[in-house]
Amino acid sequence: MRRHDLDWLRVLVFALLIFYHVGMFFVPWGWHIKNNVIYPDARWPMLFVNQWRLPILFVISGMGTYIALGKRSGGQFAWERIKRLLIPLAIGMALIIPPQVYFERLARGQFSGSYLDFWPSYAFLGVYPEGNLSWHHLWFLPYLLLFSLISIPLLLFVRSHPQSIIVRAMRRLASTPYGLFGLVIPLYLWESFLEPFFPSTHALIGDWFNLVNYLTFFLYGFLLISVKEAFWKTTIQHRRNLLYVGVIMFGMMVALRQLFADSTLVHFIEAAFKVINLWAWILVLFGYAATYLNRKSESLSYANEAVYPFYILHQTITIAIGYYLMDSPAGFWSKFAMMSIGTFGMAWLIYEFGIRRWSPIRPLFGLKPHNGNAPA
C-alpha cells in the first residue's frame, strides 16, 4: 500500500529547499552569490531547517527503496536507480549547473563576457571551486546512487528475512519513543568524532562525515519502514511529546551557541543537542504527516511527479534572479518574495511546457518516458 504521507513529506521538504536556497542569498554563510546587504538574524530559521531537511530526505529515500525492492529484483532496482539518478546528474552537470557557475564568476569578477563565451569553452575546465565543473546542489544524486547500490545485498537480506535479528531489534526500538531515540547513538558518534575532521564538502571523495552520516539515515529509513506498524503507531501516538522534545532541544542548542565559546566540551555537548534535536523533528514530521496527510489527491499526484525536475532546475533559476537583484536597493522581503515566486514560477513553466509533455525529455529529468496526458 502506497504511503501518501511520504509523498507529501518529500514534496514539502523539497519545496522548503527552494526557500532555503533563497535564504542562503541573505545570510552570512558562504554561498555562490550574495546580496549587497547581509541579514545575520535570518540564519536562525535557516539553522532550524538545516538540521533535519537533508537527513529526512535520506530517510524517505531509504523507505522508498524498501517499497521499490518489493516489486523488483536487485539487478532491476540497480539499473532503474542508475537511469533515474545518473542521467539527470549528467544532464544537470552539462546544462543546468554551468549557468550557476557563470553567474558566480561574473559576481566575483572572475569572468567577463556572455554565457556563450563561457559555455562550453570554460564551463568544464577544472573542478569547482578552483575550476568550473561541478554538480553543486545535485550532490544528493551521486550520494543516493552510491548508497542504493552498495546497500543492495544487505537490503535484500533484510527484506526477505522479516524475522532476522536486525528487524526484530528495530521493531523493539520502534515500539516506544525512547527506543527510537536509541538510534541517535550512532549519529552522536559520527557528529562527535567524524564531523570535526571531515567537514562537509559534498565532493563524495573524502567526504567521510557526510557519507557515513547520510548512509545511516538511508539505512534507518529502510529498517523503519520494515517495521512500519510499530513505527507509525509510535510516532502518531507520541507526536506531541516528540514536538516538545524538538522545541526544547533546538532552544538549548541555540542557547549553547550564544552563551559559550567553542571548546572541546562544548563540541561534545552541542553534538548531543544537535542529533537529539534533528531526530526529534524527523519523528515529529513523520507523526504529523501520517496523521493528517496520508490521503491521495490530484494535487499530490501532480506535485509528486514535478518535484524531481523542480529540484534539478530550482537553484539555477534562484542564482540567475539573485544576480540581477544583488545590487538592487530593495529590502529583504521584496527580494525574498521576487526570488521565491520567480523560482517557483520559472521552474513550473519549464516543467509544464518543456519537460512534462515530452516523452523524449522526461527521462533526462528522472521521469518515466510515457505519460497518458502528454504527447508521445
Side-chain angles (χ1 to χ4, degrees), residues 126-318:
V127 177
Y128 186 90
E130 291 79 14
N132 297 325
L133 178 64
S134 176
W135 49 46
H136 271 35
H137 70 289
L138 300 182
W139 68 267
F140 180 83
L141 303 183
Y143 281 64
L144 181 57
L145 179 60
L146 175 65
F147 299 161
S148 300
L149 297 182
I150 67 173
S151 302
I152 287 175
L154 173 62
L155 302 183
L156 288 175
F157 173 82
V158 170
R159 213 184 191 294
S160 60
H161 295 80
Q163 296 305 317
S164 64
I165 187 171
I166 189 172
V167 176
R168 286 188 282 114
M170 184 59 70
R171 186 175 291 111
R172 286 194 298 271
L173 291 175
S175 297
T176 69
Y178 312 106
L180 282 171
F181 276 104
L183 296 175
V184 305
I185 295 173
L187 303 177
Y188 177 74
L189 295 176
W190 314 150
E191 187 70 33
S192 297
F193 297 106
L194 274 181
E195 192 276 337
F197 301 103
F198 300 99
S200 177
T201 65
H202 297 153
L204 194 64
I205 305 300
D207 194 21
W208 289 110
F209 169 68
N210 280 334
L211 285 168
V212 172
N213 195 48
Y214 291 136
L215 176 59
T216 302
F217 285 111
F218 177 79
L219 295 176
Y220 279 177
F222 191 94
L223 291 171
L224 287 171
I225 202 170
S226 70
V227 294
K228 50 186 176 291
E229 293 84 2
F231 173 68
W232 269 292
K233 180 180 179 181
T234 299
T235 53
I236 290 172
Q237 288 183 347
H238 298 278
R239 63 187 185 277
R240 183 171 296 180
N241 290 333
L242 292 167
L243 177 62
Y244 296 152
V245 173
V247 170
I248 292 169
M249 295 309 298
F250 182 72
M252 293 176 69
M253 187 175 67
V254 171
L256 185 72
R257 292 190 179 190
Q258 293 290 88
L259 297 175
F260 298 96
D262 194 20
S263 68
T264 301
L265 178 61
V266 168
H267 166 72
F268 283 103
I269 295 172
E270 183 183 16
F273 290 169
K274 180 178 179 180
V275 296
I276 296 172
N277 167 71
L278 70 88
W279 190 240
W281 285 106
I282 288 173
L283 298 178
V284 167
L285 290 168
F286 278 122
Y288 277 93
T291 304
Y292 298 109
L293 297 179
N294 193 20
R295 53 181 63 89
K296 186 177 181 180
S297 74
E298 291 185 7
S299 298
L300 175 60
S301 298
Y302 184 90
N304 195 42
E305 183 180 70
V307 68
Y308 196 2
F310 266 58
Y311 160 68
I312 294 169
L313 295 167
H314 82 277
Q315 185 166 283
T316 298
I317 301 169
T318 298

Side-chain angles (χ1 to χ4, degrees), residues 86-100:
L86 199 57
I87 293 174
L89 177 63
I91 293 298
M93 293 179 68
L95 301 176
I96 308 300
I97 302 301
Q100 298 183 32

